[in-house]
Amino acid sequence: MVNSNLARAVDPAPIMEIEIDDQPIKWCSVSLSDVVSRGKRLEASVFDVEAKQARETVANCRYGTVPLAGDTGIIETAYYPGWIQRSRLKRIYCEKPYGEGFYLPSQMTSVYPVPDKNILRLADCDMDELRLKENTLLLTRSGTIGNVAYVSKTLAGLVFSDDVIRISFKNAFDLGYTYAFLKSKIGNIILQTNQYGSVITHIEPGHLENVQIPDAPIELRKQIHDTVSQSYALRDESNELIDKANALLKEALCLPDVSEFDVDYYKKSAPVDTFSVKLSNMAGRLDASYHVPIVDAITAHLQKYAEEVTSVGDKRISKEVILPMRFKRVYVDEGHGRVLFGGKQLYELDPSGKKYLSVAKHEKLFKKLEVSQNTTLITRSGTIGKVALVPKHWEHWIPSDHIIRVVPANNEIAGYLNIFLASDYGYQLITRFTYGSVVDEVDDTHVSNIPVPLLKDKAVQKQINDLALEASQKRYEAYTLEQQALRTMDEEVIYAK
């Protein structure tokens, strides 16, 4: 019941104070001709601000600009196989014994690329035209465009896809100089966008005539080129050490090529490939892929020639095998978080496409996710069996939760373990555990059970281990030099006052 009809004053609602974070405003100037060319559109989204600013930064740099290609440019030749004929390469893939390793653009930035496919030597194409020539620059022209690589000894002579543009220069010192510019944030943005700032999905050699590069003094160009060249020389040296370690491993264990393993003993004559498996060897797995004969052949061979065959989970081999937890990721801009990279970039010296995790949101998880030097990383889903050794510059970086961490028992086994797991034989032993119908997976239990041979000759095992660790150190030094070249490009060329 209402006791009174008198009106009462109501307390005024509190006034909300809205706080607006001070964020740098992205802006750029647009000419009237650009507006007309873009269909008289006035929305900012039509003109990519960062791309416009990147072009203005280069145009206003201290030394002026010069085009990459053209009569007045610094490029001598830029082409890809079939460019003149405007025809794509007709690829005929085959088994390894009948062809030659064929490399795709995604492998261009790997420190030591390994071919996933083989192309028939009798294919209707000029194999010599596909081979890379030393001291040239590579540029991806489709798919993920704008990736660059320097052709040193490791890549020279390899057969690469026609989706890669090959570039040579009028002056040798412009090779490393251009590499550093296109690897820089400013250079890469310019390469991937047109004059309006729109992202382009395909690059032709002719497009390079529209790319302006700072016209720095020759001495400065030589300095940057020499630094980049030294970085790639160190990568070549690291790969030679890996080759030597693999050769020692094969010799110590009398290992033939994987394709030469005799698996007929394990097979049974039938219209299709079949093989019998003892009930005692089923290990609770009924999928045929787990019981592939080549795994039994490799394991039997290791038991014959090694002093002992143990497993990754042995405490003499690893302290811990870590399967990272899945978590919801909160990303931030570069400089405001911790580096995160995925399995796709595992073979790169400086993983491209890095993302940055929020420190505020994930700080409690970092200790469980970050990696330490000489840890072996193994991809566990999607493309299974990619193996990498954590170099010094990856210390405290965070690989994706799709990558298993194998923490070595000590540095006397870390390099040897990595060499074996990264070998063709290790790959077979890792992938035999694969399960899943749509997305392939392996887990930490599987990795712990991977067989690992210990050599009879401990001196050779130590030599293999030391070679692997030395190779990792050289890759760290190569990374340091490349970062030095990129800093020089930014501080003394692009942003020089």
Side-chain angles (χ1 to χ4, degrees), residues 415-426:
Y416 174 78
L417 173 64
N418 181 266
I419 290 294
F420 178 74
L421 292 178
S423 68
D424 292 339
Y425 320 98

Side-chain angles (χ1 to χ4, degrees), residues 108 137-142 145-149 163-167 182 191 203 208:
M108 191 181 79
L137 186 71
L138 303 183
L139 177 66
T140 51
R141 68 183 184 90
S142 59
I145 64 171
N147 285 341
V148 292
D163 287 317
V164 174
I165 296 176
R166 285 82 162 156
I167 302 172
L182 296 180
L191 188 63
I203 294 179
L208 300 177

